[in-house]
Amino acid sequence: MSMPLQLAAAETEDRDDRLARARAALGAAERSAARWGGRIDRTALRGGSLRPVESGPDSAPDLEPEDGLGTRLPVPGPLSSLFPRGSLREGSSVAIEGAASTSLLLSLAVAAAGEDSWCAVAGMPDLGLRSALDAGLDPCRLALAPTHGEQRPQVLSALADGVGVLVLGPDLDLTPALWRSLLSRARTADTLVLAAAPPGRADIALRSTTHAWTGLGTGSGRLRRRRLAVTSSGRGIAGHREVEVLLPQASGMIAQAPQERTSSAETTAPAGIRLLQSVPRAG
């Protein structure tokens, strides 16, 4: 191996060693701060958000965080305007209340988990694998956790440590102390927590209300879709934000609500249909 390559390899090993030691020290500081209700941002030591900074022509590069906002997770497009920067931060928490909370939870979980992360669902005993598959979750990276028994706090804590997205459904009876403990562990492990009506505060709070249903005619038919108004408030949001969405959609669980149709548009003949003039009969 040539001398330049040996120097480059040594610099890489030294940088990785310093980064590993710094992460270990930060983990110990986080555990200490958590006992007093504190919080330390891990994003400064995340490898994906670090970039080299040259301090001189002969000096080894140092690592500097690109920003202090951490790794961002995607959200469904129709809901992106509800969140700061149109995304969610790893290790953050979202509380959802109101109509269609289960559908909103699953929509956020599918977008945040992506194609790599594991997702765990607790507090939804009626959610089956077929329903999860229809929602877009990968059953190969999905854990459905039971929530009964004396080991429930230990199970939830293990999930907060081991998955990328943790969904806490409406049937999960959490205590405020357990909620705070789960948030602390999730921040340390960079786990996104999505909860239906939790017993405490979350970083972002969503509230949804039903505006209208469609599909039911005059005395016949069935309900097919509903229009929801979803508002958000919390960290990084001045006041509150609001969007209107439609649930459900054949090509996805959620879609942007279209503009209200005018009366002229509703009476226009569909494209591709040509009206023929009547022809008088012969004889």
Side-chain angles (χ1 to χ4, degrees):
M1 182 181 295
S2 62
M3 184 62 67
L5 292 179
Q6 291 178 351
L7 291 176
E11 290 176 355
T12 301
E13 292 176 358
D14 181 63
R15 182 179 60 188
D16 293 341
D17 184 62
R18 287 188 288 113
L19 185 58
R21 291 199 305 269
R23 281 175 171 162
L26 181 60
E30 283 178 330
R31 290 189 293 271
S32 177
R35 291 196 294 268
W36 301 95
R39 179 179 179 181
I40 297 177
D41 193 357
R42 297 176 60 91
T43 57
L45 296 176
R46 184 183 301 282
S49 62
L50 298 178
R51 57 186 175 90
V53 178
E54 297 290 346
S55 56
D58 299 327
S59 61
D62 293 326
L63 295 178
E64 178 179 272
E66 291 182 354
D67 54 48
L69 299 177
T71 300
R72 311 298 294 186
L73 300 174
V75 298
L79 299 178
S80 60
S81 60
L82 294 176
F83 302 96
R85 299 181 64 194
S87 58
L88 286 168
R89 180 178 51 80
E90 280 189 350
S92 63
S93 56
V94 180
I96 301 176
E97 296 183 1
S101 60
T102 298
S103 296
L104 292 176
L105 282 172
L106 294 180
S107 296
L108 290 171
V110 170
E115 299 180 355
D116 299 323
S117 297
W118 273 76
C119 177
V121 179
M124 293 185 183
D126 296 330
L127 179 66
L129 290 178
R130 180 62 190 180
S131 299
L133 184 63
D134 292 340
L137 291 172
D138 185 356
C140 296
R141 293 179 289 105
L142 174 66
L144 300 178
T147 56
H148 302 289
E150 298 179 356
Q151 301 299 319
R152 181 181 60 175
Q154 290 82 350
V155 171
L156 295 177
S157 297
L159 292 176
D161 286 336
V163 300
V165 180
L166 176 59
V167 180
L168 305 177
D171 294 333
L172 189 61
D173 186 17
L174 293 175
T175 63
L178 180 55
W179 170 249
R180 292 191 298 269
S181 174
L182 291 177
L183 291 188
S184 177
R185 300 182 77 96
R187 284 194 294 266
T188 302
D190 292 334
T191 299
L192 175 65
V193 179
L194 308 172
R201 297 185 61 181
D203 294 323
I204 303 292
L206 302 184
R207 184 165 187 83
S208 58
T209 56
T210 299
H211 274 189
W213 285 90
T214 60
L216 187 63
T218 56
S220 63
R222 58 179 180 148
L223 298 174
R224 296 179 179 273
R225 187 183 305 168
R226 58 175 154 177
R227 181 187 293 259
L228 290 176
V230 186
T231 60
S232 67
S233 60
R235 182 168 299 175
I237 300 175
H240 69 276
R241 304 178 184 181
E242 181 174 348
V243 297
E244 284 197 355
V245 296
L246 294 177
L247 283 172
Q249 292 291 295
S251 59
M253 291 196 62
I254 193 168
Q256 190 76 35
Q259 297 281 339
E260 294 289 348
R261 291 183 178 180
T262 61
S263 58
S264 60
E266 291 176 351
T267 57
T268 302
I273 296 179
R274 183 167 59 90
L275 301 180
L276 302 178
Q277 298 292 335
S278 60
V279 179
R281 295 182 180 179

